[in-house]
Amino acid sequence: MTPANLPSVIRHWIGGDLVDASDARTFDVSDPVSNTVYAQAARGSAADVDRAVTAARTAFPAWSGISNRERAGVLYRIADAVEARHNRLAAFETYDTGLPITQAKGQARRAAENFRYFADVIVSLGEEAFRQGEEQFSYVVRTPVGVAGLITPWNTPFMLESWKLAPALASGCTLVLKPAEWTPLSASLWPEIFAEAGVPAGVVNIVHGIGEEAGQALVDHPDVPLISFTGSTDTGRHIIRSSAQHLKTTSMELGGKSPAVVFADADVEAALDSVVFGVFSLNGERCTAGSRVLVERPLYEEFTRRLAERAANVRVGLPADPTTEVGALVHPEHYERVLNYVETGRKEAKLVAGGTRPDHLTGGNYLQPTVFADVDREARIFQEEIFGPVVAVAPFDTEAEAIELANATQYGLAAYIWTSDLKRGHRIAHAVESGMIWLNSHNVRDLRTPFGGVKASGVGREGGAHSIDFYTESKIVHVALGQVHTPRFGTGS
């Protein structure tokens, strides 16, 4: 279903104005249900990025100079403006990404909460102070880094944009946002949201475009000292190499191939619910998806059979249908990539569910949730991120083998552990090489906690005070309290 008030042109937002690309170029934007072009988006170049950076630098002194309380007030108004567009935002997100409408509505709510949360953080966050006896007092001053470059992915784009926008603004940075080219529609709502909330012109600038052009120009710009990126590991490696020239601060939230480790003594119903939701929600297009399910051998056959049954019953359908659980994959190029992995999996393992387009959907980027069993640790579908509704299941016999299999990929973003033995659960949690662990829980996040991965899953942490640390510099000021006793070099005494 086509949303009302769908724009036919998506333009940059620079210095408080909606503008075309400096060379007037555009690129096509299509929906994943029909793969029909519905809009043109401005195709940003280095010249557009430079205009945006100049606007951000001009706005920086005033924005960074106001109090934390004043900035928090603006963030609260942004949250209100997001919520006021709740239904429209969800409709845009569903239409552009293929996410089921019920899940898109959840992303809209989370986006508003991100702004409220970081407004609270910046007001309540204190600074450190140290006293060295009666001799010296030292205190820390936080200062915003400057112009932040934000590069966001195509999955749940609006929420993930808010996840970067909110702490950057709270910290006093101005910024340039480069949304993903496959899903720019919901980003077209930001200009009216920021204008309504009273964000000064130039504080936020949005440049659309292709990653290799607009994204690269943002990474290369000498007046952008900080880059926050969410996306693929290969792109993250490239950004880090490019950023080294100007010694930029980077935060990289990259790929994942997260294990879900299920012991025979687990609450099977809860573990099954978590595994099914964790890998098939958001169409499987989520970095923290538990896409490798490791099951202790006494439970393996039963759990695999029931997982396959659940996958076969997942409702695949039109994203706008409120009964849909899995919608259309985001783009034909990505859809083809996921299908190629399915064909590879047929050669590497045992297909026990899905693997084909649902019979009732003759067009669009649809795939029935897919389960492969008896997957060898060397298989590509075990090792590589698929980023779709595809899961690999493998057995283990011992705790040591479970840990070894969980750590057997280049990734280390998330992990899920299911056991009624909490001592064992903690042992596994400490031994698994992942930045985030959920023990007898599905993916529920507290916004105060650090978010990020290890190994090829990322560099740095964001979330709560960690985000403020990223967008600010800490300066230590030392003050003498008494008589200064400095060794007197050069006096001859």
Side-chain angles (χ1 to χ4, degrees):
M1 184 172 66
T2 303
N5 302 314
L6 197 68
S8 59
V9 178
I10 300 171
R11 307 169 79 192
H12 303 321
W13 196 51
I14 299 176
D17 294 321
L18 290 169
V19 297
D20 295 323
S22 56
D23 56 10
R25 290 190 305 162
T26 62
F27 62 93
D28 293 340
V29 184
S30 59
D31 76 272
V33 170
S34 68
N35 292 317
T36 300
V37 173
Y38 70 84
Q40 298 293 308
R43 182 164 179 162
S45 65
D48 298 309
V49 169
D50 187 61
R51 278 195 296 166
V53 173
T54 298
R57 289 188 69 196
T58 301
F60 178 72
W63 180 248
S64 62
I66 66 175
S67 70
N68 290 344
R69 177 68 68 182
E70 289 177 275
R71 284 199 298 274
V74 176
L75 265 66
Y76 290 132
R77 294 197 296 272
I78 293 171
D80 291 342
V82 169
E83 285 193 337
R85 292 159 177 80
H86 175 87
N87 290 329
R88 185 179 174 207
L89 195 162
F92 274 25
E93 201 80 315
T94 292
Y95 185 77
D96 200 30
T97 67
L99 291 178
I101 185 65
T102 53
Q103 295 167 43
K105 286 181 177 179
Q107 298 301 312
R109 287 191 295 270
R110 185 59 171 268
E113 177 59 22
N114 281 334
F115 284 98
R116 289 202 176 93
Y117 171 74
F118 281 106
D120 292 340
V121 168
I122 200 62
V123 170
S124 62
L125 188 65
E127 293 171 331
E128 297 174 290
F130 309 88
R131 192 176 74 172
Q132 294 143 287
E134 300 300 322
E135 298 178 358
Q136 186 164 275
F137 174 77
S138 306
Y139 63 94
V140 175
V141 176
R142 290 181 183 271
T143 57
V145 170
V147 178
L150 312 180
I151 303 176
T152 51
W154 46 258
N155 61 318
T156 63
F158 192 87
M159 191 280 289
L160 289 175
E161 288 157 7
S162 75
W163 172 239
K164 298 181 187 295
L165 288 163
L169 291 173
S171 299
C173 291
T174 55
L175 58 96
V176 178
L177 168 68
K178 208 299 280 185
E181 56 262 35
W182 283 355
T183 54
L185 179 58
S186 60
S188 69
L189 296 175
W190 284 122
E192 64 183 59
I193 288 170
F194 290 133
E196 182 177 307
V199 178
V203 170
V204 178
N205 303 275
I206 302 172
V207 177
H208 296 280
I210 309 303
E212 292 82 355
E213 297 171 355
Q216 186 68 55
L218 186 57
V219 170
D220 290 341
H221 202 290
D223 294 326
V224 179
L226 176 151
I227 296 291
S228 177
F229 170 75
T230 299
S232 74
T233 295
D234 286 344
T235 303
R237 289 190 177 108
H238 175 78
I239 289 173
I240 289 174
R241 285 193 295 267
S242 298
S243 297
Q245 179 181 357
H246 296 292
L247 298 177
K248 299 190 180 205
T249 301
T250 60
S251 175
M252 301 282 120
E253 197 267 280
L254 307 176
K257 192 70 177 178
S258 299
V261 182
V262 183
F263 285 88
D265 66 348
D267 180 334
V268 176
E269 295 300 326
L272 186 63
D273 286 345
S274 176
V275 166
V276 172
F277 181 83
V279 73
F280 298 139
S281 62
L282 304 181
N283 299 345
E285 297 165 331
R286 59 187 304 164
C287 56
T288 56
S291 55
R292 291 184 298 135
V293 180
L294 311 176
V295 186
E296 193 172 14
R297 197 172 297 276
L299 181 62
Y300 178 73
E301 287 190 11
E302 176 194 348
F303 196 90
T304 302
R305 173 182 56 78
R306 294 185 63 187
L307 175 58
E309 290 171 354
R310 291 281 292 273
N313 289 325
V314 168
R315 295 189 186 95
V316 183
L318 295 175
D321 184 341
T323 67
T324 292
E325 295 170 321
V326 169
L329 299 187
V330 67
H331 190 274
E333 183 179 319
H334 179 63
Y335 181 52
E336 185 64 28
R337 178 179 179 275
V338 173
L339 291 181
N340 286 338
Y341 272 111
V342 171
E343 291 309 305
T344 297
R346 292 177 185 274
K347 303 170 187 175
E348 294 180 325
K350 180 182 178 182
L351 177 67
V352 295
T356 60
R357 173 192 296 277
D359 291 339
H360 65 288
L361 296 165
T362 58
N365 309 325
Y366 291 102
L367 175 65
Q368 185 67 37
T370 300
V371 180
F372 287 101
D374 304 341
V375 183
D376 184 79
R377 58 171 288 164
E378 302 301 328
R380 288 184 61 199
I381 61 170
F382 188 93
Q383 290 290 331
E384 299 176 19
E385 185 177 41
I386 299 173
F387 221 65
V390 181
V391 62
V393 191
F396 67 85
D397 291 296
T398 66
E399 181 179 316
E401 185 184 9
I403 294 169
E404 196 276 333
L405 285 172
N407 293 338
T409 74
Q410 67 171 324
Y411 297 106
L413 186 59
Y416 308 87
I417 303 163
W418 290 89
T419 177
S420 62
D421 183 342
L422 289 182
K423 290 182 178 179
R424 174 166 60 189
H426 285 290
R427 286 196 304 271
I428 302 289
H430 294 178
V432 170
E433 298 165 348
S434 293
M436 298 173 289
I437 309 287
W438 280 268
L439 175 56
N440 295 332
S441 170
H442 70 287
N443 190 327
V444 177
R445 279 208 61 237
D446 185 323
L447 292 177
R448 296 170 295 181
T449 60
F451 187 99
V454 300
K455 301 193 292 188
S457 286
V459 176
R461 293 292 182 273
E462 296 188 47
H466 300 274
S467 290
I468 306 302
D469 287 340
F470 176 66
Y471 290 103
T472 59
E473 298 283 6
S474 293
K475 180 188 299 182
I476 183 73
V477 179
H478 302 286
V479 182
L481 296 178
Q483 185 68 34
V484 178
H485 300 287
T486 307
R488 303 190 70 207
F489 279 27
T491 64
S493 59

